[in-house]
Amino acid sequence: MSTYHSLINEGKERLYKAGQGEQAAQLFMVELCRQKDISMDEEADEQIQTDYLEGIHLMENGEPLGYVLGYECFYGYDFIVNEDVLIPRPETEELVGLVLSKFDDYFADKDHVNVFDVATGSGAIGITLNLEPRMDVIASDISKEALVVAQKNNEKLDAHVNFICGSMLDPFVDRDLHCDILVCNPPYIPSEEKMEQSVVDYEPHV
C-alpha cells in the first residue's frame, strides 16, 4: 500500500520530468486530503490515490492545478474555476487587500458603498469584497460563460453580487450606473509575449 509521501514523491518526479512545476504535486495532495479531512500520516486512501495519479497525469500534460481540482483558493475562499475563466492569482489577492486597507479611510461614514468589479471572470474580486460589510457589488464580464461560473461562486459563497454582461465599462455606462469604488484586474499580458504552456493551452483566450 502506498503512503501519501511516496505518492507525492512520485508526483514530483513525474511533473519534473514533464517540465511542469513539481511543487504542484504536494499542493494537489494536500487539497485532496483536506477535502476528506484525512491526515497524510496514515496509509493512502485508495480513492485519493486514484484521483491523485489521474490528476498528476493531467498536470503532466500542462493542465493547471486549479482546473484539475475544479477550484482555486482565493483570500480564504474556494472559488470554482474551469476553462471558461482565468485562475485567480496571488497578485490579485494583493489588489483586494489594498482595497480593504484603504476602505475605512474613505468610507467610514457610509452605510453602503457601491463597487464595480470590471472583467470579473470567476467573480473572485467582487465576491470577496461583497462578503465584507457595507460593500454592494456589481460585476461585469464580456464572457457569458465566465458569468455562469461567477454566479455559481456567488451562490456557493452566499454572496449577493449582481452580474451584467458587456465589455469593460460599457454595461455600466449604458445603464448610467455610478460607483464609489472601481476595481479591475483584466488580462493584461500582451498577445505576443511568451506565456506558460498551461496558460496558452488551457486558460480562455478571450
Side-chain angles (χ1 to χ4, degrees):
M1 187 71 173
S2 298
T3 66
Y4 290 110
H5 296 290
S6 67
L7 287 169
I8 290 170
N9 288 336
E10 179 184 344
K12 283 183 176 179
E13 185 176 351
R14 286 172 56 178
L15 292 182
Y16 177 77
K17 288 180 177 178
Q20 307 297 338
E22 61 185 283
Q23 70 274 15
Q26 182 157 352
L27 293 172
F28 184 35
M29 181 62 81
V30 168
E31 285 300 308
L32 290 177
C33 290
R34 181 172 76 96
Q35 290 172 13
K36 292 193 173 185
D37 196 23
I38 288 176
S39 168
M40 287 197 292
D41 294 328
E42 306 167 6
E43 282 193 340
D45 175 85
E46 188 174 332
Q47 186 59 55
I48 285 185
Q49 179 173 339
T50 299
D51 293 345
Y52 182 76
L53 294 176
E54 288 177 354
I56 290 294
H57 175 69
L58 294 172
M59 286 190 285
E60 282 179 301
N61 294 324
E63 186 162 343
L65 175 59
Y67 290 164
V68 174
L69 287 168
Y71 64 87
E72 181 75 15
C73 184
F74 181 87
Y75 225 81
Y77 304 106
D78 288 340
F79 280 85
I80 298 165
V81 293
N82 61 25
E83 65 280 357
D84 293 322
V85 296
L86 296 174
I87 297 171
R89 285 354 193 233
E91 295 83 0
T92 310
E93 290 181 312
E94 295 176 17
L95 176 59
V96 170
L98 179 64
V99 173
L100 295 177
S101 71
K102 293 184 175 295
F103 182 78
D104 285 333
D105 292 341
Y106 289 89
F107 303 109
D109 59 343
K110 293 194 70 169
D111 292 331
H112 294 280
V113 175
N114 294 318
V115 181
F116 292 172
D117 173 25
V118 177
T120 191
S122 65
I125 295 174
I127 290 171
T128 301
L129 293 176
N130 180 240
L131 291 171
E132 297 289 325
R134 300 191 288 136
M135 292 203 200
D136 299 329
V137 178
I138 303 175
S140 70
D141 204 283
I142 196 171
S143 166
K144 292 179 181 178
E145 291 79 12
L147 291 177
V148 169
V149 177
Q151 183 59 49
K152 288 179 180 177
N153 283 317
N154 200 39
E155 295 167 4
K156 173 176 178 280
L157 296 170
D158 198 26
H160 300 90
V161 175
N162 292 310
F163 296 100
I164 51 179
C165 189
S167 177
M168 301 304 286
L169 290 173
D170 289 350
F172 300 96
V173 174
D174 292 345
R175 293 167 174 80
D176 194 27
L177 298 174
H178 302 267
C179 68
D180 302 295
I181 298 173
L182 172 63
V183 61
C184 180
N185 186 35
Y188 50 79
I189 300 174
S191 58
E192 66 274 9
E193 185 171 320
K194 185 174 176 59
M195 293 181 284
E196 294 178 14
Q197 176 196 349
S198 62
V199 176
V200 175
D201 291 348
Y202 289 93
E203 299 202 47
H205 290 191
V206 67

